Amino acid sequence: MAEANKKENFFVRSGKRIGRWFREMRSELKKVVWPSKSQMINNTLVVLACVLVVGVFIWVFDAVVGLVVNGIITLIKG
């Protein structure tokens, strides 16, 4: 009777949890709506354009701040 109420060991419980996780992951991946090739290309181009715009903005900002800092340094040095 005591054997029937005994808890499963750690490895058995872990194996069952991992198996359940993979089953749930597989069922969730079946629900995913994957983008078409044209949507993927369009989204990639949008991301690249945004990265380019942000990169140019940071570059310009860095150049302006560098000029300001150099100007302050030259004013302090005299």
Side-chain angles (χ1 to χ4, degrees):
M1 200 62 149
E3 292 294 324
N5 292 333
K6 191 173 180 181
K7 194 174 182 182
E8 293 176 331
N9 69 32
F10 171 76
F11 297 106
V12 173
R13 288 184 313 221
S14 296
K16 287 183 179 182
R17 273 189 257 144
I18 291 170
R20 185 179 69 222
W21 183 79
F22 275 109
R23 282 191 304 275
E24 290 175 0
M25 180 182 62
R26 186 174 176 202
S27 83
E28 289 297 322
L29 282 175
K30 287 180 181 179
K31 299 175 187 176
V32 172
V33 179
W34 298 101
S36 66
K37 185 177 180 179
S38 63
Q39 288 174 327
M40 188 175 63
I41 290 171
N42 187 36
N43 292 345
T44 302
L45 292 175
V46 168
V47 168
L48 290 176
C50 289
V51 167
L52 183 66
V53 168
V54 169
V56 168
F57 176 77
I58 291 173
W59 177 63
V60 169
F61 182 75
D62 181 54
V64 169
V65 170
L67 288 174
V68 170
V69 169
N70 283 337
I72 292 172
I73 290 173
T74 55
L75 282 175
I76 291 174
K77 280 186 174 181

